[in-house]
Amino acid sequence: MLDNIIRGEIFMTDQKLCQLAIEAKQNSYSPYSHFRVGAALLTEDGAVYQGVNIENVAFSPTNCAERTAFFKAVSEGKRQFKAIAISGDAQDYLYPCGVCRQVMAEFCDPKTFQILLVKPDGNFKKFTLEQLLPGAFTQNDLEKGIQ
């Protein structure tokens, strides 16, 4: 398996990013649901941060794979992102939850940020963040309320 942080990738294809999301699932900590999720987040400078779902017996502290990838990248100073691939154990496409979509909206341009939903066999669908989170609450909305 590739390292969790892959640096210096000059050209990342959708297929490569999808494969990294599938591979990330093996590190999932999901002893309660037994439902593994992996994500691979591509930064503007070509680095890839993999993330997995991390469960907790109390459930509410559980963290999704998408947010794990974002938080790893942000903790290392990254703020600009191009795409994320997400893969779960189901035989269907796994859409990001609302909280993960809102985290994406914090850091990504909704018109250009790509979300790849990946089946275990590698087939994927591609959406923009704007398609999956229309009317997102953003800094612009916050500024409208400040008087």
Side-chain angles (χ1 to χ4, degrees), residues 81 117 147:
F81 305 99
L117 309 179
Q147 299 188 13

Side-chain angles (χ1 to χ4, degrees), residues 24-84:
K25 287 189 298 187
Q26 70 183 339
N27 292 324
S28 168
Y29 180 75
S30 47
Y32 308 107
S33 72
H34 306 287
F35 187 82
R36 301 174 312 153
V37 181
L41 176 64
L42 178 62
T43 66
E44 285 288 345
D45 66 1
V48 174
Y49 289 81
Q50 290 171 295
V52 298
N53 57 321
I54 302 169
E55 294 182 348
N56 185 284
V57 69
F59 290 108
S60 62
T62 293
N63 202 55
C64 298
E66 301 93 307
R67 283 182 281 142
T68 299
F70 267 95
F71 296 162
K72 285 171 63 176
V74 170
S75 74
E76 294 194 15
K78 304 297 181 177
R79 298 292 187 275
Q80 297 180 335
F81 305 99
K82 291 177 78 169
I84 191 167

Side-chain angles (χ1 to χ4, degrees), residues 119-132:
K119 288 184 177 182
D121 65 6
N123 286 318
F124 66 93
K125 288 183 179 181
K126 188 186 323 187
F127 298 92
T128 64
L129 178 57
E130 185 174 58
Q131 289 174 300
L132 295 185

